[in-house]
Amino acid sequence: MSLEPKEFSNLAALMKAIPDEQAAVDHFTAIRWKNGEFCPYCGGTKVYHFADKRTHKCADKDCHQRFSIKVGTVFEDSKLGLRLWMLAVWYVSSHKKSIASTQLAKDLGVTQKTAWFMMHRLRHAARTRSFNRPLRGTVEADEAFFGGKDKNQHADRRGLKKKAIVVGMLERGGELRARIVDHLREAADVVAIHVQPGANLMTDEYTGYKRLRHDYEHGFVAHSRGEYVKYPKASKSYDTEWGPLVHVNSIEGYWSQLKRQIYGIHHWVSAKHLGRYIDESVWRYNRRDVGEAFRFNELLKITSGRLTYSDLIA
């Protein structure tokens, strides 16, 4: 079975390129089996195809399982067609601040509960599975707090100790990473894991980062003194050259975007699922410089792995 994925640049072109359910199946099949057919149950590479073009069977004598192209992906056991799923994939991959499940439900003609589960399946696909290399060069590290404004909280929910803490690291001109931590004091440990020793590390004035100054060229800005950008002093590794500007404006720009997504689009996110929303946002941010169709197909490529509703709400 030799198929090629369709080309498109916007939602209207997507709907024209994939006009029906069979076209959606063919598009996903071309992406999932780009490197060859395989059985999702045993991994065997000999596959029989039925006349309906949507059902396949493993030719391995010890397997002989029948399956569709959705088996082994986040689409498995969904009663919704792949064409409808692809609309959701488009929204997740192309909308900078994502889409609310209530709005997705209206657009797709499904219940809000169904739309919510669809979005979480796609966030599950977009999760970061592994990192290829540590961040290097000039890296901005900063922390953000999520949990709403104190004035809108009950008295027992106010204060930083009641909020979720997220540590972010952004390589200038490169990759973003973000991790939820239990305590602010863990921020430096997260940075040490993800940032290559010797890198130019830019932070705010939080004292917990000071213990990293022996492993990094550490520059910081003191926001409490109205300091947001400054030129560094000549470091010990440069005799005649100045290093990069000291600021955390880039990572703070990401925090602003993430908070607009959470508070402006979703309005409220539970601490239990916050990590999934962050994974989705980071995945999209790290592909901010590529085209819409590329991001769309990239998300379809990584949809392997099921997420059941019982696992999601457990």
Side-chain angles (χ1 to χ4, degrees):
M1 180 176 286
S2 178
L3 297 169
E4 290 293 330
K6 303 289 185 179
E7 295 292 332
F8 43 84
S9 57
N10 53 56
L11 183 57
L14 168 64
M15 292 294 93
K16 184 177 180 180
I18 305 177
D20 52 37
E21 183 63 15
Q22 187 57 54
V25 170
D26 291 344
H27 184 84
F28 185 52
T29 300
I31 288 174
R32 195 170 187 218
W33 283 352
K34 179 181 179 181
N35 297 319
E37 303 167 350
F38 63 89
C39 169
Y41 293 103
C42 71
T45 56
K46 280 192 173 183
V47 176
Y48 295 131
H49 309 290
F50 289 84
D52 63 5
K53 297 183 180 180
R54 299 186 191 181
T55 311
H56 316 282
K57 185 176 182 179
C58 180
D60 190 289
K61 64 180 180 180
D62 296 321
C63 183
H64 281 304
Q65 290 276 10
R66 292 180 63 147
F67 59 91
S68 74
I69 196 64
K70 296 195 293 186
V71 171
T73 74
V74 297
F75 309 130
E76 184 174 350
D77 285 342
S78 173
K79 295 179 181 179
L80 302 177
L82 268 177
R83 190 168 187 262
L84 206 60
W85 268 106
M86 286 185 177
L87 282 173
V89 171
W90 179 268
Y91 287 133
V92 169
S93 62
S94 67
H95 287 197
K96 184 181 291 187
K97 296 187 288 293
S98 192
I99 184 173
S101 59
T102 51
Q103 184 61 53
L104 183 66
K106 290 179 181 179
D107 290 350
L108 300 188
V110 298
T111 65
Q112 187 272 334
K113 180 180 177 181
T114 296
W116 183 80
F117 187 28
M118 291 176 74
M119 293 295 288
H120 273 297
R121 285 187 178 188
L122 296 179
R123 291 181 186 115
H124 181 71
R127 73 194 186 281
T128 301
R129 293 165 172 81
S130 62
F131 297 105
N132 294 326
R133 63 169 180 82
L135 302 177
R136 57 197 179 199
T138 299
V139 179
E140 299 177 24
D142 194 27
E143 61 288 336
F145 301 86
F146 293 84
K149 296 179 179 179
D150 279 350
K151 67 179 182 180
N152 298 328
Q153 301 277 4
H154 291 290
D156 63 343
R157 294 294 301 166
R158 293 173 183 168
L160 294 181
K161 291 183 179 180
K162 301 294 185 179
K163 298 181 187 295
I165 306 169
V166 184
V167 177
M169 299 143 288
L170 175 60
E171 179 183 297
R172 289 184 188 170
E175 189 176 85
L176 167 72
R177 297 180 190 173
R179 287 290 174 269
I180 297 175
V181 295
D182 293 326
H183 302 282
L184 187 56
R185 61 176 177 268
E186 297 174 27
D189 296 328
V190 173
V191 171
I193 291 171
H194 291 277
V195 182
Q196 188 176 63
N200 294 303
L201 179 64
M202 308 302 178
T203 71
D204 59 17
E205 60 196 307
Y206 170 54
T207 57
Y209 293 122
K210 288 185 177 179
R211 63 186 177 88
L212 298 173
R213 63 184 182 274
H214 301 297
D215 297 317
Y216 302 94
E217 294 292 336
H218 184 207
F220 68 92
V221 287
H223 291 166
S224 62
R225 299 199 300 265
E227 192 174 68
Y228 294 95
V229 180
K230 67 179 181 181
Y231 289 93
K233 294 180 180 179
S235 69
K236 58 188 177 183
S237 60
Y238 294 94
D239 294 327
T240 59
E241 294 183 39
W242 295 87
L245 284 174
V246 179
H247 65 77
V248 289
N249 294 344
S250 303
I251 185 70
E252 287 187 339
Y254 168 71
W255 292 140
S256 177
Q257 178 179 309
L258 178 60
K259 289 184 177 182
R260 286 198 301 272
Q261 172 185 337
I262 290 178
Y263 301 132
I265 302 297
H266 306 297
H267 302 302
W268 181 84
V269 170
S270 69
K272 173 183 177 180
H273 295 302
L274 176 61
R276 298 183 187 276
Y277 289 87
I278 292 172
D279 281 345
E280 173 203 347
S281 176
V282 168
W283 180 89
R284 197 165 41 240
Y285 188 90
N286 283 334
R287 290 157 184 80
R288 60 195 180 278
D289 296 327
V290 300
E292 307 287 0
F294 182 88
R295 268 198 308 274
F296 174 85
N297 287 329
E298 278 291 293
L299 187 50
L300 286 176
K301 284 179 184 178
I302 57 174
T303 51
S304 296
R306 290 187 64 191
L307 175 66
T308 64
Y309 190 78
S310 58
D311 287 339
L312 177 60
I313 65 173

